[in-house]
Amino acid sequence: NGVFRRVDDVIDAWYDSGAMPFAQHHYPFENLEKVAPGGHFRAADFISEAIDQTRGWFYTLHVLACALFDSVAFEHCIVMGHVNDDQGRKMSKRLGNVVDPMGVIAETGADAMRWYFYVNDPEQTSRFSSKLVREAAQGLQLPVWNALSFFTIYANLDGWVPRPEGAIPFSERADLDRWILARLDDEVEKIALLLEGYRIAEPARRLEAFVDDLNNWYIRRSRDRFWSASGEKSSDKEAAYQTLYEVLTKLARLIAPFTPFLAETLHEHLVRSVNTDAPASVHLENWPGTTGILERDREVLALVGAMGLAKRLVGLGRVARAEHNLKNRQPLASATLVLAPEIFGVDVRPQLERVRGLVLDELNVKDVFFAERRGDFVTHEVRPNFRVLGKKLGGRMKAAQAALLASDGDALAELLARDGRIVIQLEGEALELLPEDLEVRLIEKAGMATANDGELLVALDPELTPDLIAEGRAREVVNRLQTARKDAGLDYADRIRVRYNAVPELEAAIAAHRDWISGETLAVEWLGAGDAADGLASAPIDDLSFAFAIARAS
C-alpha cells in the first residue's frame, strides 16, 4: 500500500560482496548449473583486489563458499598494494596530493604506466608520479625502441627482408648469435612458468635483464657485423640479421601481456610490413615456443656459462677502471682473471678461452692471464661482523676483534672459502666462526687496479706505455668525430672530410692510427688547418689542444 517499514535486523553489507559468485546468477532460485555444475561449486581461477580486502571481500567470499558449498571461493589471489604519492603519503583531497592517472598516461603513455607497476611489483605498496613512471620506462620501453631503431636503420640500408628459405642453421651461426637465441629460449620458458603461477614482478624484471643483454651486449658487440661501408654481404652478416629479427619478433610476443601497444608496434614494423598474411595483431599470435636447446646441447650450455662469466669479469674490470680513474677508451697492457677452482668446483678457464677475444676487447687490454691465488694481487683482512657477532659474544667482542686482527688474514680467508668456517682461540677456548659472523675485506697491493665480487677478481695492469697512451688518444679522436657526425645529422653511410689542428703529441697519435680512425669514422680526407683555425670546434684530449671540423664528402 506504499507504506515503507524499517527492517529491525539488517544483514552485514559484506554479505552482498561475498555472495557475488552465486548471487549474480540469481542462485538459489535458478541457474544451479552456472554456479555448481554437477553439484560442485565452480571456484574462480583467480581474484584480485587491494590488501585492505583481506578482512573484507577475500574473507567473506571464502566464508560463504565454505558454508554453502563446502568449497573455496577462488584458487588464486593477487593482492595489490596501495598507491601513494611520490613521498609515500596516502593520496587525499586534504593534502592535495592526488595524481590523476589519465594525466600521467597522456604524458608517458599507457604502456609506461603499466610497466611501472609491473616491475615495481603490484603486490607491494608503491609511490606514484609521472617522474617515477618515466624512469621505469627506461628499463624496457626505451631499450626496446633502441633495438628496433638499430635493426630498422641497418636493414633498410641493406634492403634486408626475412626469407625463411634462406635461414642459416643454428649450429653455423656465430657464438654471439647462439648465445642470445639460447638466452631467449630460456626466458620464454621461465617467463611462461612465472605468468602461469600468477607472478608478475619476476617476469617483468627478467624481461628488463634480457633486453639489457640484447642491447648492451649482443647488439653492441655485433655492430661491426651489421655495418659494411662497401655494402658487402656475407653469411655472418646474414646470420646477424636473422638472429636479431628472430629475437625482436619473439620479444614482441613476450612483452605483449605487459606493454601491449609497444608489442603491437614491433609486430607492425617487423612482421606485418613484410607479410600481410600474418595475424593482424600481435595479440592474435601464439605465445612463442621453446627449442629446449639448453637441455639438449651441452656445448651451448657451456657457451651460455662462458658468456655469463665474461660479462661478470668485464663488469668488474670497469669497476676497477672507475676506482682508479682509468678511462674505458684507454688500452691497458693486461688483465689477470683470478678464478679459484675451489669456488667454482671446476676449472672454468677452458670456458673462458672460448670468449677470450671478446674479453680482451671489452676490457680493452692487450693480453689476458689467468691466476688462482688472490694473494698475489690483494691481501685479506678478516674482521668481525659486529651486528651479528656482538649478540653472540657480548663483552668478549673486543677480544675476538683483537684475535682476528692478530691472525694471518690471507690464511683465514682461504680457510673460510674452503671449509665455510674458521676457529680462533678466545681466552683459552676454541671459538668457531661462520661466514655470517665475519667481514672479509680485500686490500689491493701497490701497483694494481682490482675489483672483485666475492668469487671473481680482476686485476688490471695500470702502467701506461707511450704506445698505449697514443692508442688511447686515437680512440678519443674517434669519439669526438663520431659525436660530431651524430650532431650534424649525417647518415650512417656518409663519408666525411676532416679539417683539424692538433699539438705534436696528438698529431703523432693520429698519424700512427690514421687508417683505423678513418675506417671507424668514414673519414676519406684529412686536412691540416694550419693557422686558419676559423670554424674549428675545440675538443681537448688529455689536456692537449685539439680542434676540428667535419664536412660531408661529395
Side-chain angles (χ1 to χ4, degrees), residues 333-365:
S334 66
T336 302
L337 314 179
V338 185
L339 311 161
E342 65 267 19
I343 292 178
F344 290 94
V346 295
D347 185 358
V348 296
R349 285 176 297 181
Q351 282 182 279
L352 281 172
E353 283 292 348
R354 181 170 185 173
V355 291
R356 182 187 183 90
L358 185 151
V359 172
L360 282 168
D361 198 28
E362 283 292 309
L363 288 177
N364 195 11
V365 296

PDB file of all heavy atoms in Angstrom, residues 333-365:
ATOM      1  N   ALA A 333      97.848  -2.794 -20.760  1.00  0.00           N
ATOM      2  CA  ALA A 333      98.714  -3.892 -21.188  1.00  0.00           C
ATOM      3  C   ALA A 333      98.065  -5.249 -20.951  1.00  0.00           C
ATOM      4  O   ALA A 333      98.118  -6.133 -21.810  1.00  0.00           O
ATOM      5  CB  ALA A 333     100.057  -3.802 -20.473  1.00  0.00           C
ATOM      6  N   SER A 334      97.450  -5.436 -19.767  1.00  0.00           N
ATOM      7  CA  SER A 334      96.934  -6.773 -19.478  1.00  0.00           C
ATOM      8  C   SER A 334      95.915  -6.737 -18.347  1.00  0.00           C
ATOM      9  O   SER A 334      95.807  -5.749 -17.607  1.00  0.00           O
ATOM     10  CB  SER A 334      98.068  -7.717 -19.089  1.00  0.00           C
ATOM     11  OG  SER A 334      98.640  -7.317 -17.854  1.00  0.00           O
ATOM     12  N   ALA A 335      95.175  -7.831 -18.252  1.00  0.00           N
ATOM     13  CA  ALA A 335      94.272  -8.086 -17.130  1.00  0.00           C
ATOM     14  C   ALA A 335      94.499  -9.504 -16.664  1.00  0.00           C
ATOM     15  O   ALA A 335      94.682 -10.413 -17.483  1.00  0.00           O
ATOM     16  CB  ALA A 335      92.819  -7.885 -17.537  1.00  0.00           C
ATOM     17  N   THR A 336      94.513  -9.693 -15.369  1.00  0.00           N
ATOM     18  CA  THR A 336      94.629 -11.036 -14.805  1.00  0.00           C
ATOM     19  C   THR A 336      93.302 -11.396 -14.159  1.00  0.00           C
ATOM     20  O   THR A 336      92.761 -10.635 -13.344  1.00  0.00           O
ATOM     21  CB  THR A 336      95.759 -11.119 -13.766  1.00  0.00           C
ATOM     22  OG1 THR A 336      96.992 -10.735 -14.388  1.00  0.00           O
ATOM     23  CG2 THR A 336      95.889 -12.527 -13.226  1.00  0.00           C
ATOM     24  N   LEU A 337      92.763 -12.542 -14.536  1.00  0.00           N
ATOM     25  CA  LEU A 337      91.480 -13.001 -14.031  1.00  0.00           C
ATOM     26  C   LEU A 337      91.739 -14.091 -12.999  1.00  0.00           C
ATOM     27  O   LEU A 337      92.307 -15.134 -13.326  1.00  0.00           O
ATOM     28  CB  LEU A 337      90.619 -13.547 -15.178  1.00  0.00           C
ATOM     29  CG  LEU A 337      90.572 -12.679 -16.451  1.00  0.00           C
ATOM     30  CD1 LEU A 337      89.701 -13.352 -17.505  1.00  0.00           C
ATOM     31  CD2 LEU A 337      90.078 -11.274 -16.133  1.00  0.00           C
ATOM     32  N   VAL A 338      91.345 -13.835 -11.763  1.00  0.00           N
ATOM     33  CA  VAL A 338      91.589 -14.784 -10.682  1.00  0.00           C
ATOM     34  C   VAL A 338      90.357 -15.644 -10.511  1.00  0.00           C
ATOM     35  O   VAL A 338      89.288 -15.157 -10.109  1.00  0.00           O
ATOM     36  CB  VAL A 338      91.949 -14.059  -9.376  1.00  0.00           C
ATOM     37  CG1 VAL A 338      92.315 -15.060  -8.292  1.00  0.00           C
ATOM     38  CG2 VAL A 338      93.108 -13.088  -9.614  1.00  0.00           C
ATOM     39  N   LEU A 339      90.488 -16.924 -10.847  1.00  0.00           N
ATOM     40  CA  LEU A 339      89.358 -17.855 -10.849  1.00  0.00           C
ATOM     41  C   LEU A 339      89.743 -19.067 -10.010  1.00  0.00           C
ATOM     42  O   LEU A 339      90.351 -20.013 -10.512  1.00  0.00           O
ATOM     43  CB  LEU A 339      89.030 -18.294 -12.279  1.00  0.00           C
ATOM     44  CG  LEU A 339      88.905 -17.168 -13.325  1.00  0.00           C
ATOM     45  CD1 LEU A 339      89.051 -17.727 -14.716  1.00  0.00           C
ATOM     46  CD2 LEU A 339      87.567 -16.474 -13.166  1.00  0.00           C
ATOM     47  N   ALA A 340      89.415 -19.050  -8.745  1.00  0.00           N
ATOM     48  CA  ALA A 340      89.802 -20.137  -7.852  1.00  0.00           C
ATOM     49  C   ALA A 340      88.943 -21.368  -8.110  1.00  0.00           C
ATOM     50  O   ALA A 340      87.708 -21.294  -8.020  1.00  0.00           O
ATOM     51  CB  ALA A 340      89.675 -19.696  -6.401  1.00  0.00           C
ATOM     52  N   PRO A 341      89.554 -22.538  -8.424  1.00  0.00           N
ATOM     53  CA  PRO A 341      88.770 -23.751  -8.700  1.00  0.00           C
ATOM     54  C   PRO A 341      87.886 -24.166  -7.531  1.00  0.00           C
ATOM     55  O   PRO A 341      86.804 -24.715  -7.736  1.00  0.00           O
ATOM     56  CB  PRO A 341      89.844 -24.810  -8.979  1.00  0.00           C
ATOM     57  CG  PRO A 341      91.056 -24.036  -9.382  1.00  0.00           C
ATOM     58  CD  PRO A 341      90.997 -22.761  -8.602  1.00  0.00           C
ATOM     59  N   GLU A 342      88.327 -23.904  -6.276  1.00  0.00           N
ATOM     60  CA  GLU A 342      87.523 -24.349  -5.137  1.00  0.00           C
ATOM     61  C   GLU A 342      86.201 -23.595  -5.043  1.00  0.00           C
ATOM     62  O   GLU A 342      85.252 -24.048  -4.408  1.00  0.00           O
ATOM     63  CB  GLU A 342      88.307 -24.190  -3.825  1.00  0.00           C
ATOM     64  CG  GLU A 342      88.643 -22.753  -3.447  1.00  0.00           C
ATOM     65  CD  GLU A 342      90.010 -22.326  -3.957  1.00  0.00           C
ATOM     66  OE1 GLU A 342      90.515 -22.992  -4.877  1.00  0.00           O
ATOM     67  OE2 GLU A 342      90.553 -21.352  -3.445  1.00  0.00           O
ATOM     68  N   ILE A 343      86.136 -22.426  -5.661  1.00  0.00           N
ATOM     69  CA  ILE A 343      84.893 -21.655  -5.635  1.00  0.00           C
ATOM     70  C   ILE A 343      83.905 -22.187  -6.670  1.00  0.00           C
ATOM     71  O   ILE A 343      82.723 -22.378  -6.399  1.00  0.00           O
ATOM     72  CB  ILE A 343      85.187 -20.157  -5.871  1.00  0.00           C
ATOM     73  CG1 ILE A 343      85.952 -19.581  -4.677  1.00  0.00           C
ATOM     74  CG2 ILE A 343      83.892 -19.387  -6.093  1.00  0.00           C
ATOM     75  CD1 ILE A 343      86.329 -18.128  -4.822  1.00  0.00           C
ATOM     76  N   PHE A 344      84.393 -22.460  -7.874  1.00  0.00           N
ATOM     77  CA  PHE A 344      83.509 -22.906  -8.949  1.00  0.00           C
ATOM     78  C   PHE A 344      83.332 -24.422  -8.968  1.00  0.00           C
ATOM     79  O   PHE A 344      82.413 -24.925  -9.597  1.00  0.00           O
ATOM     80  CB  PHE A 344      84.051 -22.430 -10.306  1.00  0.00           C
ATOM     81  CG  PHE A 344      83.939 -20.955 -10.502  1.00  0.00           C
ATOM     82  CD1 PHE A 344      85.000 -20.124 -10.195  1.00  0.00           C
ATOM     83  CD2 PHE A 344      82.771 -20.385 -10.970  1.00  0.00           C
ATOM     84  CE1 PHE A 344      84.902 -18.757 -10.361  1.00  0.00           C
ATOM     85  CE2 PHE A 344      82.657 -19.023 -11.149  1.00  0.00           C
ATOM     86  CZ  PHE A 344      83.732 -18.199 -10.843  1.00  0.00           C
ATOM     87  N   GLY A 345      84.221 -25.129  -8.288  1.00  0.00           N
ATOM     88  CA  GLY A 345      84.133 -26.583  -8.298  1.00  0.00           C
ATOM     89  C   GLY A 345      84.802 -27.210  -9.503  1.00  0.00           C
ATOM     90  O   GLY A 345      85.115 -28.393  -9.507  1.00  0.00           O
ATOM     91  N   VAL A 346      85.009 -26.416 -10.566  1.00  0.00           N
ATOM     92  CA  VAL A 346      85.685 -26.896 -11.775  1.00  0.00           C
ATOM     93  C   VAL A 346      86.589 -25.774 -12.284  1.00  0.00           C
ATOM     94  O   VAL A 346      86.454 -24.619 -11.891  1.00  0.00           O
ATOM     95  CB  VAL A 346      84.675 -27.279 -12.892  1.00  0.00           C
ATOM     96  CG1 VAL A 346      83.835 -28.456 -12.484  1.00  0.00           C
ATOM     97  CG2 VAL A 346      83.787 -26.082 -13.236  1.00  0.00           C
ATOM     98  N   ASP A 347      87.485 -26.135 -13.171  1.00  0.00           N
ATOM     99  CA  ASP A 347      88.343 -25.146 -13.810  1.00  0.00           C
ATOM    100  C   ASP A 347      87.559 -24.510 -14.954  1.00  0.00           C
ATOM    101  O   ASP A 347      87.226 -25.185 -15.938  1.00  0.00           O
ATOM    102  CB  ASP A 347      89.615 -25.824 -14.325  1.00  0.00           C
ATOM    103  CG  ASP A 347      90.610 -24.816 -14.895  1.00  0.00           C
ATOM    104  OD1 ASP A 347      90.292 -23.622 -14.921  1.00  0.00           O
ATOM    105  OD2 ASP A 347      91.706 -25.255 -15.302  1.00  0.00           O
ATOM    106  N   VAL A 348      87.248 -23.228 -14.839  1.00  0.00           N
ATOM    107  CA  VAL A 348      86.416 -22.559 -15.849  1.00  0.00           C
ATOM    108  C   VAL A 348      87.251 -21.889 -16.933  1.00  0.00           C
ATOM    109  O   VAL A 348      86.699 -21.266 -17.839  1.00  0.00           O
ATOM    110  CB  VAL A 348      85.489 -21.509 -15.195  1.00  0.00           C
ATOM    111  CG1 VAL A 348      84.518 -22.172 -14.257  1.00  0.00           C
ATOM    112  CG2 VAL A 348      86.299 -20.443 -14.468  1.00  0.00           C
ATOM    113  N   ARG A 349      88.581 -22.055 -16.851  1.00  0.00           N
ATOM    114  CA  ARG A 349      89.423 -21.411 -17.860  1.00  0.00           C
ATOM    115  C   ARG A 349      89.143 -21.897 -19.283  1.00  0.00           C
ATOM    116  O   ARG A 349      89.134 -21.087 -20.223  1.00  0.00           O
ATOM    117  CB  ARG A 349      90.899 -21.593 -17.509  1.00  0.00           C
ATOM    118  CG  ARG A 349      91.353 -20.707 -16.357  1.00  0.00           C
ATOM    119  CD  ARG A 349      92.793 -20.966 -15.973  1.00  0.00           C
ATOM    120  NE  ARG A 349      92.967 -22.330 -15.483  1.00  0.00           N
ATOM    121  CZ  ARG A 349      94.144 -22.808 -15.060  1.00  0.00           C
ATOM    122  NH1 ARG A 349      95.219 -22.053 -15.086  1.00  0.00           N
ATOM    123  NH2 ARG A 349      94.231 -24.049 -14.614  1.00  0.00           N
ATOM    124  N   PRO A 350      88.902 -23.212 -19.492  1.00  0.00           N
ATOM    125  CA  PRO A 350      88.571 -23.638 -20.864  1.00  0.00           C
ATOM    126  C   PRO A 350      87.328 -22.942 -21.411  1.00  0.00           C
ATOM    127  O   PRO A 350      87.262 -22.627 -22.606  1.00  0.00           O
ATOM    128  CB  PRO A 350      88.342 -25.149 -20.710  1.00  0.00           C
ATOM    129  CG  PRO A 350      89.173 -25.538 -19.524  1.00  0.00           C
ATOM    130  CD  PRO A 350      89.063 -24.366 -18.580  1.00  0.00           C
ATOM    131  N   GLN A 351      86.340 -22.699 -20.543  1.00  0.00           N
ATOM    132  CA  GLN A 351      85.153 -21.977 -20.994  1.00  0.00           C
ATOM    133  C   GLN A 351      85.515 -20.567 -21.428  1.00  0.00           C
ATOM    134  O   GLN A 351      85.081 -20.081 -22.476  1.00  0.00           O
ATOM    135  CB  GLN A 351      84.120 -21.899 -19.864  1.00  0.00           C
ATOM    136  CG  GLN A 351      83.310 -23.158 -19.639  1.00  0.00           C
ATOM    137  CD  GLN A 351      82.291 -22.948 -18.543  1.00  0.00           C
ATOM    138  OE1 GLN A 351      82.601 -23.025 -17.371  1.00  0.00           O
ATOM    139  NE2 GLN A 351      81.068 -22.659 -18.933  1.00  0.00           N
ATOM    140  N   LEU A 352      86.334 -19.897 -20.615  1.00  0.00           N
ATOM    141  CA  LEU A 352      86.665 -18.505 -20.908  1.00  0.00           C
ATOM    142  C   LEU A 352      87.588 -18.368 -22.107  1.00  0.00           C
ATOM    143  O   LEU A 352      87.578 -17.331 -22.781  1.00  0.00           O
ATOM    144  CB  LEU A 352      87.298 -17.850 -19.678  1.00  0.00           C
ATOM    145  CG  LEU A 352      86.298 -17.425 -18.602  1.00  0.00           C
ATOM    146  CD1 LEU A 352      87.008 -16.970 -17.338  1.00  0.00           C
ATOM    147  CD2 LEU A 352      85.402 -16.302 -19.119  1.00  0.00           C
ATOM    148  N   GLU A 353      88.385 -19.392 -22.397  1.00  0.00           N
ATOM    149  CA  GLU A 353      89.239 -19.331 -23.580  1.00  0.00           C
ATOM    150  C   GLU A 353      88.397 -19.146 -24.840  1.00  0.00           C
ATOM    151  O   GLU A 353      88.829 -18.523 -25.807  1.00  0.00           O
ATOM    152  CB  GLU A 353      90.091 -20.601 -23.693  1.00  0.00           C
ATOM    153  CG  GLU A 353      91.283 -20.638 -22.747  1.00  0.00           C
ATOM    154  CD  GLU A 353      92.341 -19.598 -23.092  1.00  0.00           C
ATOM    155  OE1 GLU A 353      92.270 -19.006 -24.184  1.00  0.00           O
ATOM    156  OE2 GLU A 353      93.243 -19.382 -22.253  1.00  0.00           O
ATOM    157  N   ARG A 354      87.177 -19.689 -24.812  1.00  0.00           N
ATOM    158  CA  ARG A 354      86.295 -19.582 -25.969  1.00  0.00           C
ATOM    159  C   ARG A 354      85.896 -18.134 -26.244  1.00  0.00           C
ATOM    160  O   ARG A 354      85.661 -17.755 -27.397  1.00  0.00           O
ATOM    161  CB  ARG A 354      85.055 -20.436 -25.735  1.00  0.00           C
ATOM    162  CG  ARG A 354      84.079 -20.410 -26.888  1.00  0.00           C
ATOM    163  CD  ARG A 354      83.013 -21.444 -26.703  1.00  0.00           C
ATOM    164  NE  ARG A 354      82.133 -21.518 -27.852  1.00  0.00           N
ATOM    165  CZ  ARG A 354      81.201 -22.428 -28.012  1.00  0.00           C
ATOM    166  NH1 ARG A 354      81.050 -23.375 -27.099  1.00  0.00           N
ATOM    167  NH2 ARG A 354      80.434 -22.438 -29.085  1.00  0.00           N
ATOM    168  N   VAL A 355      85.787 -17.334 -25.194  1.00  0.00           N
ATOM    169  CA  VAL A 355      85.375 -15.940 -25.356  1.00  0.00           C
ATOM    170  C   VAL A 355      86.541 -15.002 -25.033  1.00  0.00           C
ATOM    171  O   VAL A 355      86.335 -13.852 -24.686  1.00  0.00           O
ATOM    172  CB  VAL A 355      84.154 -15.620 -24.463  1.00  0.00           C
ATOM    173  CG1 VAL A 355      82.915 -16.344 -24.953  1.00  0.00           C
ATOM    174  CG2 VAL A 355      84.433 -15.977 -23.007  1.00  0.00           C
ATOM    175  N   ARG A 356      87.760 -15.507 -25.180  1.00  0.00           N
ATOM    176  CA  ARG A 356      88.945 -14.725 -24.847  1.00  0.00           C
ATOM    177  C   ARG A 356      89.010 -13.417 -25.645  1.00  0.00           C
ATOM    178  O   ARG A 356      89.286 -12.348 -25.098  1.00  0.00           O
ATOM    179  CB  ARG A 356      90.204 -15.557 -25.097  1.00  0.00           C
ATOM    180  CG  ARG A 356      91.504 -14.859 -24.726  1.00  0.00           C
ATOM    181  CD  ARG A 356      92.718 -15.680 -25.166  1.00  0.00           C
ATOM    182  NE  ARG A 356      93.957 -15.056 -24.757  1.00  0.00           N
ATOM    183  CZ  ARG A 356      94.569 -15.288 -23.609  1.00  0.00           C
ATOM    184  NH1 ARG A 356      94.050 -16.144 -22.751  1.00  0.00           N
ATOM    185  NH2 ARG A 356      95.699 -14.673 -23.311  1.00  0.00           N
ATOM    186  N   GLY A 357      88.776 -13.511 -26.962  1.00  0.00           N
ATOM    187  CA  GLY A 357      88.843 -12.314 -27.795  1.00  0.00           C
ATOM    188  C   GLY A 357      87.839 -11.265 -27.369  1.00  0.00           C
ATOM    189  O   GLY A 357      88.129 -10.060 -27.353  1.00  0.00           O
ATOM    190  N   LEU A 358      86.658 -11.719 -27.018  1.00  0.00           N
ATOM    191  CA  LEU A 358      85.617 -10.791 -26.565  1.00  0.00           C
ATOM    192  C   LEU A 358      86.037 -10.117 -25.258  1.00  0.00           C
ATOM    193  O   LEU A 358      85.873  -8.908 -25.093  1.00  0.00           O
ATOM    194  CB  LEU A 358      84.310 -11.572 -26.389  1.00  0.00           C
ATOM    195  CG  LEU A 358      83.048 -10.805 -26.034  1.00  0.00           C
ATOM    196  CD1 LEU A 358      81.832 -11.542 -26.578  1.00  0.00           C
ATOM    197  CD2 LEU A 358      82.889 -10.656 -24.533  1.00  0.00           C
ATOM    198  N   VAL A 359      86.601 -10.888 -24.319  1.00  0.00           N
ATOM    199  CA  VAL A 359      87.035 -10.330 -23.035  1.00  0.00           C
ATOM    200  C   VAL A 359      88.155  -9.316 -23.255  1.00  0.00           C
ATOM    201  O   VAL A 359      88.172  -8.235 -22.652  1.00  0.00           O
ATOM    202  CB  VAL A 359      87.482 -11.449 -22.076  1.00  0.00           C
ATOM    203  CG1 VAL A 359      88.115 -10.872 -20.820  1.00  0.00           C
ATOM    204  CG2 VAL A 359      86.290 -12.321 -21.705  1.00  0.00           C
ATOM    205  N   LEU A 360      89.109  -9.637 -24.133  1.00  0.00           N
ATOM    206  CA  LEU A 360      90.185  -8.699 -24.453  1.00  0.00           C
ATOM    207  C   LEU A 360      89.624  -7.373 -24.957  1.00  0.00           C
ATOM    208  O   LEU A 360      90.053  -6.297 -24.533  1.00  0.00           O
ATOM    209  CB  LEU A 360      91.102  -9.301 -25.526  1.00  0.00           C
ATOM    210  CG  LEU A 360      92.118 -10.352 -25.097  1.00  0.00           C
ATOM    211  CD1 LEU A 360      92.717 -11.033 -26.325  1.00  0.00           C
ATOM    212  CD2 LEU A 360      93.220  -9.710 -24.267  1.00  0.00           C
ATOM    213  N   ASP A 361      88.682  -7.474 -25.872  1.00  0.00           N
ATOM    214  CA  ASP A 361      88.116  -6.275 -26.479  1.00  0.00           C
ATOM    215  C   ASP A 361      87.305  -5.469 -25.470  1.00  0.00           C
ATOM    216  O   ASP A 361      87.425  -4.237 -25.397  1.00  0.00           O
ATOM    217  CB  ASP A 361      87.239  -6.684 -27.667  1.00  0.00           C
ATOM    218  CG  ASP A 361      86.968  -5.512 -28.598  1.00  0.00           C
ATOM    219  OD1 ASP A 361      87.809  -4.605 -28.658  1.00  0.00           O
ATOM    220  OD2 ASP A 361      85.911  -5.504 -29.249  1.00  0.00           O
ATOM    221  N   GLU A 362      86.486  -6.153 -24.690  1.00  0.00           N
ATOM    222  CA  GLU A 362      85.630  -5.457 -23.734  1.00  0.00           C
ATOM    223  C   GLU A 362      86.439  -4.815 -22.596  1.00  0.00           C
ATOM    224  O   GLU A 362      86.127  -3.713 -22.149  1.00  0.00           O
ATOM    225  CB  GLU A 362      84.602  -6.419 -23.151  1.00  0.00           C
ATOM    226  CG  GLU A 362      83.449  -6.719 -24.079  1.00  0.00           C
ATOM    227  CD  GLU A 362      82.558  -5.511 -24.301  1.00  0.00           C
ATOM    228  OE1 GLU A 362      82.136  -4.892 -23.315  1.00  0.00           O
ATOM    229  OE2 GLU A 362      82.302  -5.171 -25.462  1.00  0.00           O
ATOM    230  N   LEU A 363      87.459  -5.524 -22.128  1.00  0.00           N
ATOM    231  CA  LEU A 363      88.303  -4.961 -21.080  1.00  0.00           C
ATOM    232  C   LEU A 363      89.289  -3.945 -21.646  1.00  0.00           C
ATOM    233  O   LEU A 363      89.920  -3.198 -20.893  1.00  0.00           O
ATOM    234  CB  LEU A 363      89.073  -6.070 -20.364  1.00  0.00           C
ATOM    235  CG  LEU A 363      88.265  -6.986 -19.445  1.00  0.00           C
ATOM    236  CD1 LEU A 363      89.154  -8.079 -18.870  1.00  0.00           C
ATOM    237  CD2 LEU A 363      87.623  -6.186 -18.315  1.00  0.00           C
ATOM    238  N   ASN A 364      89.424  -3.926 -22.979  1.00  0.00           N
ATOM    239  CA  ASN A 364      90.349  -3.022 -23.674  1.00  0.00           C
ATOM    240  C   ASN A 364      91.772  -3.226 -23.159  1.00  0.00           C
ATOM    241  O   ASN A 364      92.446  -2.291 -22.717  1.00  0.00           O
ATOM    242  CB  ASN A 364      89.924  -1.564 -23.522  1.00  0.00           C
ATOM    243  CG  ASN A 364      90.624  -0.637 -24.507  1.00  0.00           C
ATOM    244  OD1 ASN A 364      91.279  -1.107 -25.447  1.00  0.00           O
ATOM    245  ND2 ASN A 364      90.508   0.656 -24.285  1.00  0.00           N
ATOM    246  N   VAL A 365      92.209  -4.486 -23.191  1.00  0.00           N
ATOM    247  CA  VAL A 365      93.567  -4.844 -22.785  1.00  0.00           C
ATOM    248  C   VAL A 365      94.219  -5.647 -23.905  1.00  0.00           C
ATOM    249  O   VAL A 365      93.538  -6.218 -24.761  1.00  0.00           O
ATOM    250  CB  VAL A 365      93.573  -5.664 -21.476  1.00  0.00           C
ATOM    251  CG1 VAL A 365      93.038  -4.834 -20.324  1.00  0.00           C
ATOM    252  CG2 VAL A 365      92.769  -6.959 -21.631  1.00  0.00           C
TER     253      VAL A 365
END
